[in-house]
Amino acid sequence: MTPSLPLLAVTALVTGLLSAPHRDVSPVGDVVEHVAGHVSETYWTPQRMAGAVPIGLLGGLQKITTARPGTPSAPAPAAPPASVLPPVARAALLPAAGAVLAPGQAAHGSTGPARTGKTARTGKTARTRQAAAMPPATTSGTRWAAGGSVTRTTGRVFLTLNGVDFSCSASAVRSANRDLVVTAGHCVKDGTGDWAENWTFVPGYDGGRQPYGAFPARRMFVAGPWSRSGNDDYDVGMVAVDDLGGQHLTDLVGGQPIAFDPPRGRRTYGFGFPADPPYDGERLLYCAGVPHGDPQGQTRDQGLRCNLTAGASGGPWLSGFDPASGRGTLTSVSSFKYSNDHRTMYGPYFGSAVRDLFRTAERG
């Protein structure tokens, strides 16, 4: 007969397993969790942030895949004048361009009596100015200057992998714990490799300014297929961050709602902080258009015309987006680009696996 352990020993064993730090668990569905290590308040100095390398690397299967630690991102092609936009997951991105008008944003003419002379010209000028101030509804890369909620909920991520400091993009989302950030999986865990250290989210980042402070990671979550094989269909990471002085992240900056199993082919706005030349990661850029399926047939991802470069990885894709308020619904994140098509950014489809990931992470 096999001797049994005393009840006290069994209790101690179970308690130890449940309280062990830095362990990987799957509370709901195929989800892998990691307890983040403490981030020193003095680690992310302005100099370290400025020196962080945008995640990006030319990978196999013709993909510009996201940086494996210590590997510099692939050189970006020259960008067209005045251009900027969203990046890739496990990928290196490229330059973008100017700005544009959003649907339904043009001013409507008056239905009153016809005007003549100077009055009529003034009305036209006012409409022209309003239109010029509106962000483009279709663009492969433009600086976001319209303000709104997206400027607060989107931010830069700074992290360390194998001793190298990197940068990504991310978004605050509505969640039960009010502390959740969504980004690319490769901005949280290097596929089958290491988890990120010193992971910190800076919402509303702008030219080095941190108007809402910096939020360090508390718990980190990725889908099982990303952790086991680096499967691009699951390149999504979620991070529960610490509060700052007792204030939760989304209480301070708000949060975009997240949706699952969304209709494909809906107009989408993708945001991020590309940091490879010709960009420097200091300003929020965006791409906008109608995404399409992966013509290579290698993933279930959708592709969006976008010239953003490395550093935009993990930036939010918002559908049903209202340029006036800066609000939309998170339905994907920037993940990767193919090496033979630098102008299309791909993002994973938010299906049941991402729903399980969210349900676990929002309780973290």
Side-chain angles (χ1 to χ4, degrees), residues 100-120:
V100 212
L101 238 219
Q105 295 301 313
H108 298 288
S110 168
T111 56
R115 299 188 182 112
T116 59
K118 184 176 179 181
T119 304

Side-chain angles (χ1 to χ4, degrees), residues 162-183:
N162 289 345
V164 179
D165 292 333
F166 290 98
S167 70
C168 278
S169 301
S171 177
V173 296
R174 296 179 190 172
S175 61
N177 59 18
R178 292 137 61 202
D179 291 324
L180 197 60
V181 176
V182 177
T183 185

Side-chain angles (χ1 to χ4, degrees), residues 79-154:
S83 145
V84 197
L85 282 174
V88 301
R90 314 187 68 214
L93 310 186
L94 311 136
V100 212
L101 238 219
Q105 295 301 313
H108 298 288
S110 168
T111 56
R115 299 188 182 112
T116 59
K118 184 176 179 181
T119 304
R121 286 197 300 274
T122 302
K124 181 178 180 181
T125 300
R127 289 195 298 274
T128 302
R129 285 175 181 163
Q130 181 177 356
M134 281 300 141
T138 301
T139 174
S140 60
T142 301
R143 179 174 170 183
W144 181 260
S149 180
V150 71
T151 62
R152 300 186 297 275
T153 58
T154 310

Side-chain angles (χ1 to χ4, degrees), residues 58 147 168 174 179 192 213 271 285 326 355 357:
L58 183 61
C168 278
R174 296 179 190 172
D179 291 324
T192 59
F271 294 84
L285 302 176
R355 179 188 291 111
L357 182 61

Side-chain angles (χ1 to χ4, degrees), residues 12-353:
L13 177 61
V14 172
T15 302
L17 287 173
L18 291 177
S19 61
H22 303 284
R23 66 193 185 89
D24 294 344
V25 296
S26 303
V28 174
D30 192 3
V31 177
V32 181
E33 175 185 347
H34 177 74
V35 179
H38 175 71
V39 181
S40 167
E41 292 181 3
T42 60
Y43 186 81
W44 287 114
T45 62
Q47 294 73 24
R48 270 211 173 98
M49 287 183 174
V53 180
I55 283 189
L57 163 71
L58 183 61
L61 294 178
Q62 296 187 312
K63 290 176 185 168
I64 300 178
T65 26
T66 69
R68 296 244 164 90
T71 309
S73 54
S83 145
V84 197
L85 282 174
V88 301
R90 314 187 68 214
L93 310 186
L94 311 136
V100 212
L101 238 219
Q105 295 301 313
H108 298 288
S110 168
T111 56
R115 299 188 182 112
T116 59
K118 184 176 179 181
T119 304
R121 286 197 300 274
T122 302
K124 181 178 180 181
T125 300
R127 289 195 298 274
T128 302
R129 285 175 181 163
Q130 181 177 356
M134 281 300 141
T138 301
T139 174
S140 60
T142 301
R143 179 174 170 183
W144 181 260
S149 180
V150 71
T151 62
R152 300 186 297 275
T153 58
T154 310
R156 293 188 76 184
V157 170
F158 296 94
L159 62 139
T160 305
L161 278 170
N162 289 345
V164 179
D165 292 333
F166 290 98
S167 70
C168 278
S169 301
S171 177
V173 296
R174 296 179 190 172
S175 61
N177 59 18
R178 292 137 61 202
D179 291 324
L180 197 60
V181 176
V182 177
T183 185
H186 66 271
C187 296
V188 174
K189 186 178 189 292
D190 183 31
T192 59
D194 292 338
W195 289 90
E197 299 177 313
N198 299 317
W199 198 100
T200 300
F201 177 58
V202 183
Y205 183 96
D206 182 40
R209 294 189 311 112
Q210 303 177 38
Y212 308 104
F215 291 77
R218 181 173 75 247
R219 289 179 179 271
M220 315 169 88
F221 307 82
V222 296
W226 176 257
S227 181
R228 290 191 297 273
S229 63
N231 186 328
D232 288 313
D233 285 341
Y234 303 90
D235 187 17
V236 183
M238 300 191 185
V239 178
V241 296
D242 286 335
D243 58 35
L244 286 187
Q247 193 162 30
H248 293 279
L249 172 65
T250 58
D251 291 346
L252 183 62
V253 304
Q256 304 288 356
I258 187 171
F260 310 100
D261 298 314
R264 289 177 177 267
R266 296 181 62 195
R267 179 167 295 280
T268 297
Y269 285 66
F271 294 84
F273 290 85
D276 252 359
Y279 315 118
D280 59 8
E282 295 301 306
R283 298 289 184 266
L284 180 64
L285 302 176
Y286 82 106
C287 300
V290 176
H292 55 76
D294 181 352
Q296 309 275 359
Q298 294 186 26
T299 69
R300 297 181 63 247
D301 293 17
Q302 295 188 94
L304 181 66
R305 193 77 169 169
C306 188
N307 288 327
L308 296 193
T309 60
S313 290
W317 287 26
L318 302 174
S319 59
F321 183 74
D322 173 23
S325 65
R327 296 191 187 97
T329 299
L330 185 70
T331 53
S332 190
V333 295
S334 292
S335 175
F336 74 87
K337 286 185 174 183
Y338 285 104
S339 59
N340 61 354
D341 180 11
H342 287 211
R343 297 196 176 279
T344 303
M345 180 81 73
Y346 287 86
Y349 182 76
F350 279 15
S352 58

